[in-house]
Amino acid sequence: MTLQQLLIFLPAALLLGASPGANNLLAFISATKAGWLRAAKGIFGRLAAWAVLVVLVSLGLDVLLRTSELAFVALKWVGVGYLIYLAWQFWTADASSEIEAPDVSTLMRREFLTLLGNPKAYLLLTAFLPQFVNDAAPLTPQLFTLGALYLVVEGVAALLWVTAGKLVGAHALTPMRRRIINRASAGLMGAAAFLLARTERAA
């Protein structure tokens, strides 16, 4: 990748990474409940999932998702189901006492599973990264390098959402306000599930 390509890739990747989506909404909600540090550590679950996706895409999984309607639909509805499950957890959370902060392992697991169940993440890698590939050089090493760079940018973007969630905060709130935050969180996860359900397979 040339310096000119890098200067285009980094801001474009940051815009993609910072755009509203299931994982960024989850990071935001996690920070309101668990604080900045725990939510920031939870992001490592997302980055681990991205690393898995980069490897899978480099090995040709994108071909399966682009050619198999069944594989794409199955993956999509697994992701939708998990987001609905998270929405139900938020909706039914007890607001009569202080919000119980999820531990780091729970936050990491949620981030990991949410990303792996989102076919849009696979399509992003297969549509975005190849634009910066040099046809004269071997493909796989370039995809790994671009994927590693994207992981760094994704981590920075996720921290922006965590910081925003921390600024909103959810500690020392009245039960009514805690209930509002829980219901709003459920609504955001439900909206993410709805948008994911409308995702179409790339032609």
Side-chain angles (χ1 to χ4, degrees):
M1 178 185 291
T2 65
L3 178 60
Q4 183 178 4
Q5 287 178 310
L6 183 64
L7 293 176
I8 297 173
F9 175 82
L10 291 178
L14 182 60
L15 286 174
L16 287 172
S19 62
N23 277 91
N24 282 335
L25 293 176
L26 187 59
F28 178 88
I29 293 166
S30 297
T32 67
K33 296 176 179 294
W36 192 92
L37 185 58
R38 283 192 187 183
K41 290 179 179 179
I43 291 171
F44 283 104
R46 182 195 313 194
L47 298 183
W50 272 117
V52 171
L53 294 191
V54 168
V55 172
L56 292 177
V57 167
S58 297
L59 295 177
L61 180 65
D62 59 311
V63 176
L64 175 63
L65 291 178
R66 287 176 178 274
T67 57
S68 172
E69 181 72 21
L70 178 61
F72 179 86
V73 170
L75 180 62
K76 179 176 76 172
W77 287 107
V78 167
V80 169
Y82 185 67
L83 290 175
I84 292 175
Y85 166 73
L86 289 180
W88 176 253
Q89 282 195 320
F90 288 130
W91 187 269
T92 59
D94 181 14
S96 62
S97 57
E98 281 290 331
I99 295 174
E100 181 180 353
D103 57 32
V104 172
S105 62
T106 297
L107 297 178
M108 291 180 67
R109 183 174 64 253
R110 288 178 178 176
E111 287 272 1
F112 184 87
L113 294 176
T114 298
L115 184 64
L116 278 189
N118 188 350
K120 293 178 69 175
Y122 299 75
L123 298 179
L124 183 151
L125 288 180
T126 59
F128 178 64
L129 295 188
Q131 297 182 45
F132 300 91
V133 166
N134 182 354
D135 294 333
L139 177 62
T140 300
Q142 292 185 81
L143 288 176
F144 276 118
T145 301
L146 289 168
L149 283 174
Y150 186 82
L151 284 182
V152 175
V153 176
E154 176 77 18
V156 172
L159 287 177
L160 295 177
W161 281 87
V162 168
T163 302
K166 173 60 178 176
L167 292 176
V168 171
H171 299 287
L173 295 177
T174 65
M176 180 179 292
R177 290 177 179 175
R178 285 196 293 272
R179 185 175 296 107
I180 290 172
I181 288 176
N182 287 339
R183 297 295 168 83
S185 299
L188 289 173
M189 288 295 100
F194 175 76
L195 292 174
L196 179 56
R198 291 174 58 86
T199 302
E200 299 293 337
R201 184 164 60 95

